[in-house]
Amino acid sequence: MDRATDVRLAQCFVAVDDHDKALAFYCDVLGFEVRNDVGFEGMRWVTVASPEQDVEIVLEPPAASPDISPADKQAMAELLAKGILRGVNFTTTDCDALFERVRAAGFDVLQEPVDQPYGMRDCAFRDPAGNMVRFLERPAD
């Protein structure tokens, strides 16, 4: 077996400042399921994923390392509040319908659906913590 095909993405991490608000977005609006909910040293990590795939998103506190300095923890919280930390890109089979569902739920629109010159149709929102969440629809074959 080729080693390159033996490596697959398992999890990615998204910083959130309120897990319950994040769950309302990722589970109630997007339809993800909670796969794990762990507390440790006063912090919480919640793992969510689409029922259709193995890749999981771990919703974690900003600066979740127990060894981070108070100044760095404050800096991370400020960056999250400004929406500067990176987000996640998802694919969907119907960008417009998903856009309407997320907008109707009241989330902050960054970009309405648009056909991109590279062939994708996409839209973007901010999740409750301010992370950019983009939804991409691949062109039909």
Side-chain angles (χ1 to χ4, degrees):
M1 173 187 276
D2 180 3
R3 289 180 196 236
T5 60
D6 192 30
V7 178
R8 297 178 62 194
L9 179 64
Q11 296 175 325
C12 63
F13 292 76
V14 174
V16 300
D17 54 358
D18 185 321
H19 284 86
D20 293 329
K21 287 181 182 177
L23 288 170
F25 177 76
Y26 289 97
C27 294
D28 297 345
V29 177
L30 298 186
F32 288 8
E33 61 188 14
V34 173
R35 298 214 176 142
N36 207 356
D37 192 337
V38 177
F40 179 71
E41 293 189 8
M43 292 181 275
R44 181 180 180 195
W45 288 262
V46 180
T47 305
V48 298
S50 166
E52 307 300 318
Q53 71 182 145
D54 294 334
V55 176
E56 300 172 327
I57 298 171
V58 180
L59 304 172
E60 67 172 353
S65 171
D67 299 321
I68 195 165
S69 73
D72 287 344
K73 190 174 281 193
Q74 179 63 33
M76 289 294 292
E78 290 172 5
L79 290 172
L80 180 62
K82 291 179 181 179
I84 293 175
L85 299 180
R86 298 301 301 162
V88 183
N89 291 355
F90 297 100
T91 60
T92 180
T93 57
D94 190 340
C95 180
D96 295 272
L98 184 61
F99 174 82
E100 291 304 328
R101 187 169 78 225
V102 176
R103 181 171 64 177
F107 291 95
D108 186 21
V109 175
L110 293 177
Q111 176 198 305
E112 293 192 9
V114 63
D115 292 321
Q116 298 292 353
Y118 45 85
M120 297 280 195
R121 181 166 181 80
D122 68 358
C123 64
F125 289 86
R126 291 221 183 271
D127 74 4
N131 298 297
M132 182 180 66
V133 181
R134 184 170 292 280
F135 301 99
L136 312 164
E137 180 181 341
R138 293 190 168 103
D141 292 332

